[in-house]
Amino acid sequence: MNNPNIVILGAGYGGIMTTIKLQKSMNINEANLTLVNINDYHYQATWLHENAAGTLHHDRTRIPIKEVINREKVNFIQDKVISIKPDEKKVKLENRELTYDILVVGLGFEAATFGIPGLEEHAFTIGNINSARLLREHLEYNFALYHNEKDKKSARLNIVVGGGGFTGIEFAGELANRIPALCEEYDIEKAQVRIINIEGSETVLPGFDPHLVEYAMTSLESRGVEFITGAMIKECKPESIVYEKDGKQVEIPTMTFVWAAGVRANCIVEKSNLETNRGKVEVRQDMRAPHYDDVFVIGDCAQILDPESGLPYPPTAQIAIQQSAVVAHNVKSLASGREMEVFKPNILGSVASLGNNDAIGVVMNDRKLFGWKATMLKKIIDNRYLFKLGGIGLLLKKGKFNVFN
């Protein structure tokens, strides 16, 4: 294949790291490499909960794409993907159409509302820089307005988070750290503010080590977070949320409901004629889509089953970054007619932040960490990613070096 057109859709963890690895391994005259993204930046998705709570400015999370790619090797196009036509080897963008010889689909996720009334219209999400910034500004607006009206006071200061997975718990932890500063700034008694986490399972962080879950809940409860488990969200209204527990429906007044209980692959994937399973492409061992040898799928859009449990691996940054190494190798191999590699996930553990100086984690050999040690590990992981993405310059510019900040 002479100078193939390689098109990468999406600059999330999988897409940007595939681009970086390809630009390092391929010469300028080996391929025409194009990266397409709706924004001109990549962002640390694992930091969005901090942006949403207001404990970390979004500029720290945002990484300009042109600062990490080699513009002599990569053609970057800022545009919105409208559709993928694999039978025609074409991608329709909002402002143009691209043809490809090899395609990498890494378009990320979007919120899944499961048909719950009012979620799409009234709930906040933490899915990207803009949604996190909107949530932060909304929180500050409600605190600022609190003393200027007689009604709706409790709704202004009741913050309800739907979902006790990683996103919901990490946001609650950052919020618990942020609330005292907001109360001081707007002359509000901290006791007036409620942070309520509602989870459908009987425990938060389902699947996590029970002892670490207990530690996490105790840590958050000591800072004012309330937990309601075994409860299902039934409706989201403009000024309240309705949940059901033990057959009874309860309504909580709130103007801030954050939906963190469900995501799905970008809907463009399901509409693209690629074979999907619950919206995701169940990729082959070499990360290619079924029936299309020239289409690779990565990150949140790809589904890979654990052969032992039969369940899909979670769509984490760790998995997407690991996938990028195999996808980059296989894209180059396909272009040059060489042998491809099989993707085998290597789960190194997981860490959940509980605020800027507390966390829980499980690392290799099931070693449990909590408190400052887990916090330090999380920052090491984040810093390592920045170094792999943009070298020492990006690490020094964006990295986190203080365990307690």
Side-chain angles (χ1 to χ4, degrees), residues 189-265:
E189 290 288 334
K190 184 175 177 293
Q192 301 299 315
V193 182
R194 296 179 68 192
I195 305 171
I196 306 165
N197 181 271
I198 301 176
E199 164 59 32
S201 302
E202 293 303 321
T203 179
V204 300
L205 297 172
F208 222 79
D209 180 88
H211 293 97
L212 292 178
V213 172
E214 183 179 356
Y215 173 89
M217 293 181 71
T218 301
S219 172
L220 294 175
E221 285 172 338
S222 71
R223 287 178 276 149
V225 179
E226 305 171 36
F227 291 99
I228 302 172
T229 58
M232 304 300 293
I233 302 298
K234 288 298 180 181
E235 185 177 0
C236 181
K237 301 179 181 180
E239 297 178 7
S240 67
I241 189 76
V242 179
Y243 72 88
E244 184 176 295
K245 180 178 173 68
D246 299 329
K248 297 180 180 179
Q249 290 197 357
V250 181
E251 188 165 358
I252 300 175
T254 180
M255 292 185 178
T256 308
F257 177 68
V258 183
W259 179 243
V263 295
R264 50 162 290 154

Side-chain angles (χ1 to χ4, degrees), residues 13-31:
Y13 287 108
I16 194 70
M17 286 303 295
T18 299
T19 304
I20 297 299
K21 292 178 185 299
L22 282 172
Q23 77 178 15
K24 289 179 179 178
S25 66
M26 301 186 82
N27 296 322
I28 294 176
N29 59 356
E30 272 191 85

Side-chain angles (χ1 to χ4, degrees), residues 95-107:
N95 298 301
R96 68 183 84 182
E97 189 172 73
L98 300 177
T99 59
Y100 66 83
D101 295 301
I102 302 173
L103 180 68
V104 179
V105 181
L107 290 173

